[in-house]
Each structure stands twice: as C-alpha cells, then as structure tokens.
Amino acid sequence: MKKLILFILLCCSSFLAVAQEIKIIDKPIIYDSTRIRLSLEYLKQRHGIEQETPTIQPKIIVLHWTAAKTFSSTFNAFNPSKLPNGDRKDIATVSSLNTSSQYMVDRDGTIYRLMPDNYFARHVIGLNYCAIGVENVGSADFPLTDAQLKANEDLVRYLQKKYKIEYLIGHYEYTKFKGTPLWKETNPNYQTGKTDPGVDFMRRIRTNLKDLALKGIPAQ
Ligand SMILES: [Zn+2]
C-alpha cells in the first residue's frame, strides 16, 4: 500500500512539474504493478541495482527513431507491460519487460510524455537506469523532420535544466559506454546493433545545443 501511495505521489508531482515550460502532451502507457515488478527485476538483474521504486536519476538522454511510421503504432507496441509472446527474441531472453521510452516526438514536432520522466524505461542496454529515452517517429527511409529536430532541442534543454543531464547521445552510440563506470549490464555479450536516430540528426542537434556543453560518448 505504501508503495502504491508513493507511486501515485511521484506520478502527480512529476506530471504537474511539466506543462509549465514547454508544450508536452501526457499520453501515458500502462505502468501497472506488472511493469513495476519487471522494471525492479530488470534494475536488479541487468543493472545490479536493488531499489523499491522503479525510479531513475537521469544523467543521459538517448535519442531514437521508432522505425515505425506512425505515433500510434509505436504507442501500441510500448503499451503492454510485457513483451508480446514470440516478439523480439533477441531481447526477450534477458527480460520479459516490454520496451518503452519516456518521450515520443511525432512528425509534426508534438512532444508526448509516455510516463513520468524519472521512471524506468527499457530502451538502451546498459544505461536504462540513468537514461531518458526520446523516440522520434521515423526511420532511415522516413527521415526525421525539422519540426522533430526543434522539438528534441526544446526537450533536451528542458530536461537538462530539470535533471542536470550530462550526456546526449544517439542510440547507435550506446556501446561506447562499455568499460566506463556508467555501463551496467551483467552479461558482457548482451548487445544489439543500432543506427537510430542517424548520424546527421545527431550532428545537427549537437550543433544547435552547443551552448549546453553536453558530453557525447565518453573518452575511452
Ligand atoms: Zn533506439
């Protein structure tokens, strides 16, 4: 019961804190007791972190693209707490927690928040425990738009201020954290190949956010 009250309080305070600075639409995916249990399991088994609430202390923002063409198709894919049976065999063996992301940006630049942004989401191996994920509707064949670039810039600025974010990376860069203190994954062979959200998108957003002095991949 205590946990449930704490969860509701955290949700409310976090939802209220948004909305004031940039336009964010709350469109929550299911974050029920199953998702909480599987997130706590993931934190413990994969990241080696034991805690009572599925919260994170964000240090890294990871930008993604969805590889699906519509907001709703990705929303529907993220919505169940568990990976659907038979889906994503490459990642299902290590946890049945479904993938998700704290934010998703549609083609027109609309920013949707899918859960409180200090809640655990499975979107980047080794770093989920300290990373906020921002999905963008698009793919290599369906390049991200200027409106998405602007929305990502605004969102990074907002989150950097809120959490003192240190790193901004594209998903394709995540394996560069291997061997650094930030990397926490119990199986050294567990990784997947990624290209999102594209080198060009990262180059452009880094140019536009130069004043924030965010770090990219760590020095090896
Ligand atoms: Zn990704």
Side-chain angles (χ1 to χ4, degrees):
M1 191 63 190
K2 254 188 201 163
K3 268 186 206 169
L4 182 67
I5 292 168
L6 179 65
F7 175 71
I8 291 165
L9 281 175
L10 281 166
C11 284
C12 292
S13 60
S14 183
F15 271 66
L16 285 173
V18 173
Q20 294 164 358
E21 304 185 27
I22 57 169
K23 194 178 174 203
I24 291 169
I25 297 176
D26 285 311
K27 177 126 172 93
I29 56 168
I30 294 168
Y31 213 112
D32 58 359
S33 57
T34 302
R35 196 161 215 135
I36 293 173
R37 178 175 58 79
L38 292 174
S39 295
L40 294 177
E41 259 176 44
Y42 194 107
L43 274 160
K44 187 176 169 189
Q45 292 168 4
R46 310 246 54 87
H47 296 312
I49 297 169
E50 276 195 67
Q51 52 185 48
E52 296 201 341
T53 55
T55 48
I56 64 168
Q57 289 179 342
K59 286 193 182 106
I60 304 175
I61 295 171
V62 183
L63 305 184
H64 301 263
W65 63 36
T66 58
K69 282 196 169 179
T70 62
F71 172 86
S72 58
S73 54
T74 300
F75 182 89
N76 292 337
F78 285 169
N79 200 30
S81 297
K82 292 177 91 162
L83 279 172
N85 280 341
D87 251 34
R88 302 293 308 270
K89 291 206 173 66
D90 55 335
I91 64 165
T93 49
V94 306
S95 168
S96 58
L97 175 64
N98 198 6
T99 55
S100 65
S101 219
Q102 286 84 353
Y103 287 94
M104 183 150 51
V105 179
D106 207 347
R107 306 288 296 168
D108 64 358
T110 305
I111 302 169
Y112 293 93
R113 202 169 61 136
L114 309 184
M115 67 181 75
D117 52 21
N118 65 338
Y119 263 65
F120 185 87
R122 182 184 190 183
H123 62 98
V124 57
I125 293 167
L127 303 170
N128 292 306
Y129 75 94
C130 68
I132 292 177
V134 181
E135 287 285 349
N136 287 276
V137 179
S139 68
D141 301 327
F142 200 43
L144 302 186
T145 65
D146 289 345
Q148 284 173 309
L149 180 68
K150 176 69 171 68
N152 278 249
E153 282 172 41
D154 292 347
L155 187 53
V156 170
R157 285 185 190 283
Y158 164 76
L159 292 171
Q160 198 268 340
K161 211 170 159 188
K162 186 171 175 184
Y163 292 115
K164 298 194 170 43
I165 297 290
E166 293 173 45
Y167 294 89
L168 172 67
I169 64 166
H171 196 186
Y172 66 88
E173 298 173 303
Y174 82 102
T175 54
K176 304 286 185 197
F177 283 81
K178 274 189 164 182
T180 73
L182 281 168
W183 182 264
K184 293 186 194 295
E185 166 51 48
T186 47
N187 179 351
N189 298 318
Y190 176 44
Q191 69 177 67
T192 52
K194 294 291 173 186
T195 58
D196 62 317
V199 175
D200 186 55
F201 190 79
M202 289 311 298
R203 184 185 52 74
R204 290 169 73 199
I205 196 163
R206 282 182 170 133
T207 301
N208 297 353
L209 293 175
K210 211 172 251 171
D211 57 297
L212 295 186
L214 289 165
K215 291 180 261 189
I217 57 174
Q220 297 291 300

PDB file of all heavy atoms in Angstrom, residues 14 16 46 51 60 65 76 84 93 122 128 132 135-136 147 151-152 159 161 172 179-181 190 203 220:
ATOM      1  N   SER A  14       5.350  14.783 -10.649  1.00  0.00           N
ATOM      2  CA  SER A  14       6.111  14.825 -11.881  1.00  0.00           C
ATOM      3  C   SER A  14       5.255  15.336 -13.046  1.00  0.00           C
ATOM      4  O   SER A  14       5.712  16.111 -13.870  1.00  0.00           O
ATOM      5  CB  SER A  14       6.629  13.415 -12.136  1.00  0.00           C
ATOM      6  OG  SER A  14       7.410  13.395 -13.253  1.00  0.00           O
ATOM      7  N   LEU A  16       2.726  17.398 -12.799  1.00  0.00           N
ATOM      8  CA  LEU A  16       2.465  18.819 -12.605  1.00  0.00           C
ATOM      9  C   LEU A  16       3.668  19.676 -12.981  1.00  0.00           C
ATOM     10  O   LEU A  16       3.528  20.783 -13.480  1.00  0.00           O
ATOM     11  CB  LEU A  16       2.090  19.095 -11.138  1.00  0.00           C
ATOM     12  CG  LEU A  16       0.685  18.660 -10.734  1.00  0.00           C
ATOM     13  CD1 LEU A  16       0.493  18.815  -9.231  1.00  0.00           C
ATOM     14  CD2 LEU A  16      -0.366  19.465 -11.478  1.00  0.00           C
ATOM     15  N   ARG A  46      19.857  -6.963 -14.385  1.00  0.00           N
ATOM     16  CA  ARG A  46      20.672  -6.493 -15.505  1.00  0.00           C
ATOM     17  C   ARG A  46      21.640  -5.381 -15.090  1.00  0.00           C
ATOM     18  O   ARG A  46      22.774  -5.331 -15.533  1.00  0.00           O
ATOM     19  CB  ARG A  46      19.784  -5.996 -16.648  1.00  0.00           C
ATOM     20  CG  ARG A  46      18.692  -6.979 -17.052  1.00  0.00           C
ATOM     21  CD  ARG A  46      18.897  -7.501 -18.449  1.00  0.00           C
ATOM     22  NE  ARG A  46      20.190  -8.071 -18.639  1.00  0.00           N
ATOM     23  CZ  ARG A  46      20.510  -9.349 -18.373  1.00  0.00           C
ATOM     24  NH1 ARG A  46      19.610 -10.169 -17.894  1.00  0.00           N
ATOM     25  NH2 ARG A  46      21.730  -9.784 -18.599  1.00  0.00           N
ATOM     26  N   GLN A  51      16.353  -1.585  -5.653  1.00  0.00           N
ATOM     27  CA  GLN A  51      15.607  -0.475  -5.061  1.00  0.00           C
ATOM     28  C   GLN A  51      14.126  -0.806  -5.020  1.00  0.00           C
ATOM     29  O   GLN A  51      13.681  -1.802  -5.595  1.00  0.00           O
ATOM     30  CB  GLN A  51      15.894   0.827  -5.814  1.00  0.00           C
ATOM     31  CG  GLN A  51      15.706   0.754  -7.311  1.00  0.00           C
ATOM     32  CD  GLN A  51      16.129   2.032  -8.020  1.00  0.00           C
ATOM     33  OE1 GLN A  51      17.205   2.567  -7.778  1.00  0.00           O
ATOM     34  NE2 GLN A  51      15.269   2.529  -8.892  1.00  0.00           N
ATOM     35  N   ILE A  60      21.734  10.819 -18.657  1.00  0.00           N
ATOM     36  CA  ILE A  60      21.950  10.699 -20.100  1.00  0.00           C
ATOM     37  C   ILE A  60      20.607  10.832 -20.815  1.00  0.00           C
ATOM     38  O   ILE A  60      19.601  10.310 -20.328  1.00  0.00           O
ATOM     39  CB  ILE A  60      22.540   9.307 -20.445  1.00  0.00           C
ATOM     40  CG1 ILE A  60      23.832   9.053 -19.661  1.00  0.00           C
ATOM     41  CG2 ILE A  60      22.781   9.152 -21.942  1.00  0.00           C
ATOM     42  CD1 ILE A  60      24.396   7.641 -19.863  1.00  0.00           C
ATOM     43  N   TRP A  65      14.957   6.677 -33.149  1.00  0.00           N
ATOM     44  CA  TRP A  65      13.803   6.738 -34.051  1.00  0.00           C
ATOM     45  C   TRP A  65      13.049   5.428 -33.900  1.00  0.00           C
ATOM     46  O   TRP A  65      13.599   4.406 -33.480  1.00  0.00           O
ATOM     47  CB  TRP A  65      14.169   7.046 -35.491  1.00  0.00           C
ATOM     48  CG  TRP A  65      15.028   6.071 -36.243  1.00  0.00           C
ATOM     49  CD1 TRP A  65      15.033   4.697 -36.163  1.00  0.00           C
ATOM     50  CD2 TRP A  65      16.001   6.418 -37.238  1.00  0.00           C
ATOM     51  NE1 TRP A  65      15.948   4.180 -37.022  1.00  0.00           N
ATOM     52  CE2 TRP A  65      16.555   5.199 -37.709  1.00  0.00           C
ATOM     53  CE3 TRP A  65      16.447   7.616 -37.801  1.00  0.00           C
ATOM     54  CZ2 TRP A  65      17.546   5.171 -38.690  1.00  0.00           C
ATOM     55  CZ3 TRP A  65      17.424   7.570 -38.771  1.00  0.00           C
ATOM     56  CH2 TRP A  65      17.970   6.372 -39.214  1.00  0.00           C
ATOM     57  N   ASN A  76       1.164   1.750 -29.390  1.00  0.00           N
ATOM     58  CA  ASN A  76       0.523   0.458 -29.141  1.00  0.00           C
ATOM     59  C   ASN A  76       1.537  -0.644 -28.860  1.00  0.00           C
ATOM     60  O   ASN A  76       1.258  -1.581 -28.116  1.00  0.00           O
ATOM     61  CB  ASN A  76      -0.362   0.063 -30.332  1.00  0.00           C
ATOM     62  CG  ASN A  76      -1.563   0.990 -30.459  1.00  0.00           C
ATOM     63  OD1 ASN A  76      -1.968   1.624 -29.485  1.00  0.00           O
ATOM     64  ND2 ASN A  76      -2.110   1.097 -31.663  1.00  0.00           N
ATOM     65  N   PRO A  84       5.215  -8.909 -26.003  1.00  0.00           N
ATOM     66  CA  PRO A  84       4.264  -9.909 -26.502  1.00  0.00           C
ATOM     67  C   PRO A  84       4.990 -11.222 -26.789  1.00  0.00           C
ATOM     68  O   PRO A  84       6.149 -11.210 -27.198  1.00  0.00           O
ATOM     69  CB  PRO A  84       3.747  -9.283 -27.802  1.00  0.00           C
ATOM     70  CG  PRO A  84       4.045  -7.824 -27.674  1.00  0.00           C
ATOM     71  CD  PRO A  84       5.282  -7.717 -26.841  1.00  0.00           C
ATOM     72  N   THR A  93      15.019 -12.948 -24.134  1.00  0.00           N
ATOM     73  CA  THR A  93      15.663 -13.939 -23.275  1.00  0.00           C
ATOM     74  C   THR A  93      16.181 -13.329 -21.974  1.00  0.00           C
ATOM     75  O   THR A  93      16.245 -14.012 -20.970  1.00  0.00           O
ATOM     76  CB  THR A  93      16.841 -14.613 -24.008  1.00  0.00           C
ATOM     77  OG1 THR A  93      17.649 -13.581 -24.574  1.00  0.00           O
ATOM     78  CG2 THR A  93      16.369 -15.562 -25.074  1.00  0.00           C
ATOM     79  N   ARG A 122      12.738   0.641 -20.610  1.00  0.00           N
ATOM     80  CA  ARG A 122      13.716  -0.238 -21.262  1.00  0.00           C
ATOM     81  C   ARG A 122      13.920   0.222 -22.696  1.00  0.00           C
ATOM     82  O   ARG A 122      13.101  -0.077 -23.572  1.00  0.00           O
ATOM     83  CB  ARG A 122      13.190  -1.677 -21.239  1.00  0.00           C
ATOM     84  CG  ARG A 122      14.159  -2.671 -21.844  1.00  0.00           C
ATOM     85  CD  ARG A 122      13.571  -4.068 -21.889  1.00  0.00           C
ATOM     86  NE  ARG A 122      14.597  -5.045 -22.252  1.00  0.00           N
ATOM     87  CZ  ARG A 122      14.387  -6.341 -22.433  1.00  0.00           C
ATOM     88  NH1 ARG A 122      13.160  -6.817 -22.283  1.00  0.00           N
ATOM     89  NH2 ARG A 122      15.374  -7.149 -22.764  1.00  0.00           N
ATOM     90  N   ASN A 128      19.838   2.024 -19.073  1.00  0.00           N
ATOM     91  CA  ASN A 128      18.444   2.385 -18.730  1.00  0.00           C
ATOM     92  C   ASN A 128      18.294   3.023 -17.357  1.00  0.00           C
ATOM     93  O   ASN A 128      17.430   3.887 -17.158  1.00  0.00           O
ATOM     94  CB  ASN A 128      17.557   1.137 -18.719  1.00  0.00           C
ATOM     95  CG  ASN A 128      17.374   0.536 -20.084  1.00  0.00           C
ATOM     96  OD1 ASN A 128      16.964   1.215 -21.011  1.00  0.00           O
ATOM     97  ND2 ASN A 128      17.680  -0.748 -20.205  1.00  0.00           N
ATOM     98  N   ILE A 132      17.111   8.845 -20.012  1.00  0.00           N
ATOM     99  CA  ILE A 132      15.785   9.180 -20.529  1.00  0.00           C
ATOM    100  C   ILE A 132      15.801   8.955 -22.033  1.00  0.00           C
ATOM    101  O   ILE A 132      16.699   9.438 -22.734  1.00  0.00           O
ATOM    102  CB  ILE A 132      15.437  10.650 -20.217  1.00  0.00           C
ATOM    103  CG1 ILE A 132      15.241  10.840 -18.711  1.00  0.00           C
ATOM    104  CG2 ILE A 132      14.184  11.092 -20.978  1.00  0.00           C
ATOM    105  CD1 ILE A 132      14.951  12.275 -18.290  1.00  0.00           C
ATOM    106  N   GLU A 135      11.941   8.952 -28.254  1.00  0.00           N
ATOM    107  CA  GLU A 135      11.671   8.317 -29.551  1.00  0.00           C
ATOM    108  C   GLU A 135      11.192   9.375 -30.537  1.00  0.00           C
ATOM    109  O   GLU A 135      10.507  10.323 -30.155  1.00  0.00           O
ATOM    110  CB  GLU A 135      10.585   7.250 -29.417  1.00  0.00           C
ATOM    111  CG  GLU A 135      11.018   5.977 -28.729  1.00  0.00           C
ATOM    112  CD  GLU A 135      11.895   5.080 -29.608  1.00  0.00           C
ATOM    113  OE1 GLU A 135      12.007   5.342 -30.832  1.00  0.00           O
ATOM    114  OE2 GLU A 135      12.466   4.121 -29.053  1.00  0.00           O
ATOM    115  N   ASN A 136      11.531   9.194 -31.786  1.00  0.00           N
ATOM    116  CA  ASN A 136      11.046  10.067 -32.849  1.00  0.00           C
ATOM    117  C   ASN A 136      10.427   9.190 -33.932  1.00  0.00           C
ATOM    118  O   ASN A 136      11.059   8.215 -34.375  1.00  0.00           O
ATOM    119  CB  ASN A 136      12.215  10.862 -33.454  1.00  0.00           C
ATOM    120  CG  ASN A 136      12.705  11.947 -32.519  1.00  0.00           C
ATOM    121  OD1 ASN A 136      12.155  13.035 -32.487  1.00  0.00           O
ATOM    122  ND2 ASN A 136      13.735  11.631 -31.729  1.00  0.00           N
ATOM    123  N   ALA A 147      10.826  19.844 -37.743  1.00  0.00           N
ATOM    124  CA  ALA A 147       9.972  20.067 -36.564  1.00  0.00           C
ATOM    125  C   ALA A 147      10.396  19.129 -35.426  1.00  0.00           C
ATOM    126  O   ALA A 147      10.396  19.517 -34.253  1.00  0.00           O
ATOM    127  CB  ALA A 147       8.508  19.822 -36.927  1.00  0.00           C
ATOM    128  N   ALA A 151      11.825  20.199 -31.734  1.00  0.00           N
ATOM    129  CA  ALA A 151      11.176  19.657 -30.532  1.00  0.00           C
ATOM    130  C   ALA A 151      12.188  18.923 -29.649  1.00  0.00           C
ATOM    131  O   ALA A 151      12.161  19.047 -28.414  1.00  0.00           O
ATOM    132  CB  ALA A 151      10.044  18.712 -30.931  1.00  0.00           C
ATOM    133  N   ASN A 152      13.090  18.170 -30.261  1.00  0.00           N
ATOM    134  CA  ASN A 152      14.131  17.474 -29.492  1.00  0.00           C
ATOM    135  C   ASN A 152      15.050  18.474 -28.788  1.00  0.00           C
ATOM    136  O   ASN A 152      15.437  18.275 -27.638  1.00  0.00           O
ATOM    137  CB  ASN A 152      14.960  16.545 -30.392  1.00  0.00           C
ATOM    138  CG  ASN A 152      14.287  15.207 -30.642  1.00  0.00           C
ATOM    139  OD1 ASN A 152      14.729  14.167 -30.182  1.00  0.00           O
ATOM    140  ND2 ASN A 152      13.181  15.215 -31.394  1.00  0.00           N
ATOM    141  N   LEU A 159      14.956  19.172 -20.116  1.00  0.00           N
ATOM    142  CA  LEU A 159      15.399  18.071 -19.243  1.00  0.00           C
ATOM    143  C   LEU A 159      16.770  18.344 -18.633  1.00  0.00           C
ATOM    144  O   LEU A 159      17.042  17.964 -17.502  1.00  0.00           O
ATOM    145  CB  LEU A 159      15.435  16.754 -20.042  1.00  0.00           C
ATOM    146  CG  LEU A 159      14.071  16.217 -20.472  1.00  0.00           C
ATOM    147  CD1 LEU A 159      14.242  15.039 -21.434  1.00  0.00           C
ATOM    148  CD2 LEU A 159      13.244  15.792 -19.253  1.00  0.00           C
ATOM    149  N   LYS A 161      17.911  21.184 -17.748  1.00  0.00           N
ATOM    150  CA  LYS A 161      17.672  22.108 -16.642  1.00  0.00           C
ATOM    151  C   LYS A 161      17.061  21.371 -15.437  1.00  0.00           C
ATOM    152  O   LYS A 161      17.441  21.584 -14.296  1.00  0.00           O
ATOM    153  CB  LYS A 161      16.685  23.179 -17.122  1.00  0.00           C
ATOM    154  CG  LYS A 161      16.866  24.525 -16.496  1.00  0.00           C
ATOM    155  CD  LYS A 161      15.994  25.513 -17.262  1.00  0.00           C
ATOM    156  CE  LYS A 161      15.700  26.727 -16.443  1.00  0.00           C
ATOM    157  NZ  LYS A 161      14.707  27.577 -17.125  1.00  0.00           N
ATOM    158  N   TYR A 172      22.677   4.742 -31.502  1.00  0.00           N
ATOM    159  CA  TYR A 172      23.763   3.999 -32.169  1.00  0.00           C
ATOM    160  C   TYR A 172      25.109   4.144 -31.439  1.00  0.00           C
ATOM    161  O   TYR A 172      26.042   3.407 -31.716  1.00  0.00           O
ATOM    162  CB  TYR A 172      23.903   4.438 -33.636  1.00  0.00           C
ATOM    163  CG  TYR A 172      24.352   5.871 -33.842  1.00  0.00           C
ATOM    164  CD1 TYR A 172      25.707   6.196 -33.890  1.00  0.00           C
ATOM    165  CD2 TYR A 172      23.417   6.901 -33.979  1.00  0.00           C
ATOM    166  CE1 TYR A 172      26.116   7.517 -34.070  1.00  0.00           C
ATOM    167  CE2 TYR A 172      23.813   8.213 -34.151  1.00  0.00           C
ATOM    168  CZ  TYR A 172      25.158   8.515 -34.202  1.00  0.00           C
ATOM    169  OH  TYR A 172      25.573   9.815 -34.369  1.00  0.00           O
ATOM    170  N   GLY A 179      32.770  -0.468 -20.572  1.00  0.00           N
ATOM    171  CA  GLY A 179      34.091  -0.278 -19.972  1.00  0.00           C
ATOM    172  C   GLY A 179      34.202   1.003 -19.159  1.00  0.00           C
ATOM    173  O   GLY A 179      35.227   1.254 -18.534  1.00  0.00           O
ATOM    174  N   THR A 180      33.139   1.821 -19.152  1.00  0.00           N
ATOM    175  CA  THR A 180      33.145   3.026 -18.310  1.00  0.00           C
ATOM    176  C   THR A 180      32.280   2.732 -17.075  1.00  0.00           C
ATOM    177  O   THR A 180      31.455   1.808 -17.100  1.00  0.00           O
ATOM    178  CB  THR A 180      32.539   4.240 -19.042  1.00  0.00           C
ATOM    179  OG1 THR A 180      31.114   4.079 -19.132  1.00  0.00           O
ATOM    180  CG2 THR A 180      33.119   4.394 -20.444  1.00  0.00           C
ATOM    181  N   PRO A 181      32.432   3.520 -16.007  1.00  0.00           N
ATOM    182  CA  PRO A 181      31.632   3.279 -14.790  1.00  0.00           C
ATOM    183  C   PRO A 181      30.129   3.417 -15.026  1.00  0.00           C
ATOM    184  O   PRO A 181      29.332   2.863 -14.276  1.00  0.00           O
ATOM    185  CB  PRO A 181      32.113   4.365 -13.820  1.00  0.00           C
ATOM    186  CG  PRO A 181      33.451   4.771 -14.324  1.00  0.00           C
ATOM    187  CD  PRO A 181      33.413   4.610 -15.814  1.00  0.00           C
ATOM    188  N   TYR A 190      25.606  -9.178 -24.110  1.00  0.00           N
ATOM    189  CA  TYR A 190      24.260  -8.736 -24.474  1.00  0.00           C
ATOM    190  C   TYR A 190      24.313  -7.355 -25.109  1.00  0.00           C
ATOM    191  O   TYR A 190      24.537  -6.356 -24.437  1.00  0.00           O
ATOM    192  CB  TYR A 190      23.368  -8.725 -23.229  1.00  0.00           C
ATOM    193  CG  TYR A 190      21.969  -8.195 -23.458  1.00  0.00           C
ATOM    194  CD1 TYR A 190      21.225  -8.574 -24.581  1.00  0.00           C
ATOM    195  CD2 TYR A 190      21.369  -7.328 -22.549  1.00  0.00           C
ATOM    196  CE1 TYR A 190      19.956  -8.090 -24.790  1.00  0.00           C
ATOM    197  CE2 TYR A 190      20.087  -6.844 -22.740  1.00  0.00           C
ATOM    198  CZ  TYR A 190      19.384  -7.227 -23.865  1.00  0.00           C
ATOM    199  OH  TYR A 190      18.118  -6.750 -24.068  1.00  0.00           O
ATOM    200  N   ARG A 203      24.404  15.140 -35.473  1.00  0.00           N
ATOM    201  CA  ARG A 203      25.312  16.251 -35.800  1.00  0.00           C
ATOM    202  C   ARG A 203      24.565  17.582 -35.714  1.00  0.00           C
ATOM    203  O   ARG A 203      25.030  18.553 -35.125  1.00  0.00           O
ATOM    204  CB  ARG A 203      25.893  16.041 -37.209  1.00  0.00           C
ATOM    205  CG  ARG A 203      26.938  17.075 -37.628  1.00  0.00           C
ATOM    206  CD  ARG A 203      27.382  16.874 -39.079  1.00  0.00           C
ATOM    207  NE  ARG A 203      26.264  16.807 -40.028  1.00  0.00           N
ATOM    208  CZ  ARG A 203      25.541  17.847 -40.419  1.00  0.00           C
ATOM    209  NH1 ARG A 203      25.804  19.060 -39.973  1.00  0.00           N
ATOM    210  NH2 ARG A 203      24.527  17.691 -41.274  1.00  0.00           N
ATOM    211  N   GLN A 220      37.598   7.196 -24.202  1.00  0.00           N
ATOM    212  CA  GLN A 220      37.935   5.777 -23.945  1.00  0.00           C
ATOM    213  C   GLN A 220      39.287   5.678 -23.250  1.00  0.00           C
ATOM    214  O   GLN A 220      40.162   6.465 -23.482  1.00  0.00           O
ATOM    215  CB  GLN A 220      37.975   4.996 -25.273  1.00  0.00           C
ATOM    216  CG  GLN A 220      36.620   4.977 -25.978  1.00  0.00           C
ATOM    217  CD  GLN A 220      35.566   4.155 -25.264  1.00  0.00           C
ATOM    218  OE1 GLN A 220      35.749   2.960 -25.065  1.00  0.00           O
ATOM    219  NE2 GLN A 220      34.452   4.769 -24.878  1.00  0.00           N
TER     220      GLN A 220
END
